[in-house]
């Protein structure tokens, strides 16, 4: 049985207190820190990049979980690896050559994740399941925090978990977007084990919110 892990998304953090807020999540049991990179092309918004990662990864022992929402991410894998990423997730929809992009992440000595948008079928992942450490099922359209969870994502998570079990593949399943204390159990029950939460962690007391999430995550192991 896989451990359940919380990955707070700093997109929703107060950047004037980022270091402090990260520490609060780490102290209360969040093992990962989710770092959303947006380029204004693959998704409408622009967030942050290498210099920020380079600075923050030094002040925490959390796993730097880098979610690249950028066009042709293969161009930037080396730079994010050098900046402190531990796990790099690319989108199926935005790579000219998905296999080559995953290989590039591995060649940099990092864990690799592959992600699909809400409108992309789970079946497209089949050729890559053996070569990734994690699959990220987006439960909102990538691009912004604070959106509503798309309920049909639960079916996709189940389908993916069954597909992987049938092939004896043990990659992690991460889910990202619209997850709160009120619906996280459904996401875990569907088969996910890495939970991304932005607004639900940083909207309010980040330490306290992390503690509450961790209680549920531990109960469900
Ligand atoms: C959206 C990002 C998410 C976002 C989640 O494109 O990938 O990681 O920060 O935010 P919430 O938890 O607020 O939906
Ligand atoms: Zn994300």
């Amino acid at each position: 049985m896989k451990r359940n892990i919380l990955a707070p998304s700093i997109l929703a953090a107060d950047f004037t207190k980022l270091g402090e807020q990260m520490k609060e999540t780490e102290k209360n049991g969040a093992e990962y820190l989710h770092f959303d990179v947006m380029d204004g092309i693959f998704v409408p918004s622009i967030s942050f990049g290498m210099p920020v990662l380079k600075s923050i990864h030094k002040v925490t022992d959390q796993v730097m979980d880098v979610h690249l929402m950028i066009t042709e991410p293969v161009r930037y894998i080396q730079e994010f690896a050098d900046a402190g990423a531990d796990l790099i997730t690319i989108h199926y929809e935005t790579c000219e050559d998905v296999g080559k992009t995953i290989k590039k992440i591995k060649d940099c000595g990092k864990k690799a994740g592959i992600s699909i948008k809400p409108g992309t079928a789970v079946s497209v992942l089949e050729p890559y399941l053996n070569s990734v450490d994690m699959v990220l099922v987006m439960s909102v359209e990538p691009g912004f925090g604070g959106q509503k969870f798309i309920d049909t994502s639960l079916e996709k998570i189940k389908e993916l978990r069954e597909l992987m079990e049938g092939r004896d593949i043990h990659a992690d399943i991460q889910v990202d977007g619209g997850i709160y204390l009120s619906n996280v159990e459904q996401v875990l029950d569907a088969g996910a084990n890495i939970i991304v939460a932005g607004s639900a962690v940083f909207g309010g007391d980040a330490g306290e919110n992390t503690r509450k999430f961790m209680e549920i995550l531990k109960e469900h192991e």
Side-chain angles (χ1 to χ4, degrees):
M1 190 62 188
K2 285 202 169 289
R3 275 182 323 113
N4 292 331
I5 291 170
L6 183 67
S9 166
I10 61 163
L11 194 62
D14 175 348
F15 296 122
T16 63
K17 303 181 192 153
L18 183 54
E20 269 168 57
Q21 292 200 326
M22 284 166 50
K23 279 275 153 229
E24 283 303 308
T25 67
E26 184 178 24
K27 259 188 352 213
N28 285 282
E31 286 178 51
Y32 282 26
L33 198 77
H34 187 81
F35 190 87
D36 286 306
V37 182
M38 304 179 182
D39 67 352
I41 299 175
F42 176 59
V43 293
S45 191
I46 296 178
S47 57
F48 35 66
M50 290 82 74
V52 177
L53 182 63
K54 199 171 171 187
S55 159
I56 66 170
H57 89 91
K58 294 181 193 141
V59 302
T60 177
D61 289 327
Q62 288 165 306
V63 170
M64 291 292 127
D65 164 24
V66 175
H67 178 192
L68 294 181
M69 288 165 273
I70 65 176
T71 305
E72 272 302 320
V74 71
R75 299 174 297 143
Y76 287 99
I77 303 295
Q78 185 73 59
E79 287 184 62
F80 278 100
D82 293 344
D86 298 300
L87 161 62
I88 300 177
T89 300
I90 50 93
H91 268 265
Y92 166 82
E93 300 87 357
T94 189
C95 297
E96 208 173 283
D97 185 334
V98 175
K100 187 173 132 197
T101 311
I102 293 169
K103 183 172 181 304
K104 177 76 187 174
I105 301 173
K106 293 294 191 176
D107 288 347
C108 290
K110 305 300 172 184
K111 285 189 172 181
I114 183 168
S115 180
I116 49 171
K117 300 206 282 184
T120 304
V122 165
S123 56
V124 305
L125 296 167
E126 281 199 59
Y128 311 108
L129 291 177
N130 268 314
S131 46
V132 293
D133 300 281
M134 185 181 87
V135 179
L136 164 53
V137 176
M138 287 303 299
S139 44
V140 298
E141 283 301 331
F144 300 98
Q147 302 180 73
K148 190 181 173 308
F149 185 88
I150 298 171
D151 285 322
T152 48
S153 314
L154 294 172
E155 285 309 314
K156 289 175 79 181
I157 302 164
K158 280 184 203 148
E159 185 189 343
L160 176 62
R161 182 56 82 198
E162 278 161 23
L163 178 68
M164 291 194 337
E165 272 171 10
R167 291 174 50 176
D168 206 23
I169 293 170
H170 301 279
D172 290 310
I173 298 182
Q174 182 175 63
V175 182
D176 181 8
I179 304 180
Y180 290 83
L181 290 167
S182 55
N183 62 357
V184 65
E185 298 192 77
Q186 284 175 289
V187 180
L188 294 167
D189 287 342
N193 72 302
I194 304 187
I195 300 295
V196 177
S199 313
V201 168
F202 293 105
D205 183 331
E208 185 62 8
N209 291 334
T210 300
R211 197 184 57 70
K212 288 182 183 156
F213 265 106
M214 288 312 300
E215 260 174 36
I216 302 177
L217 264 59
K218 291 294 154 204
E219 271 168 25
H220 279 254
E221 274 176 351

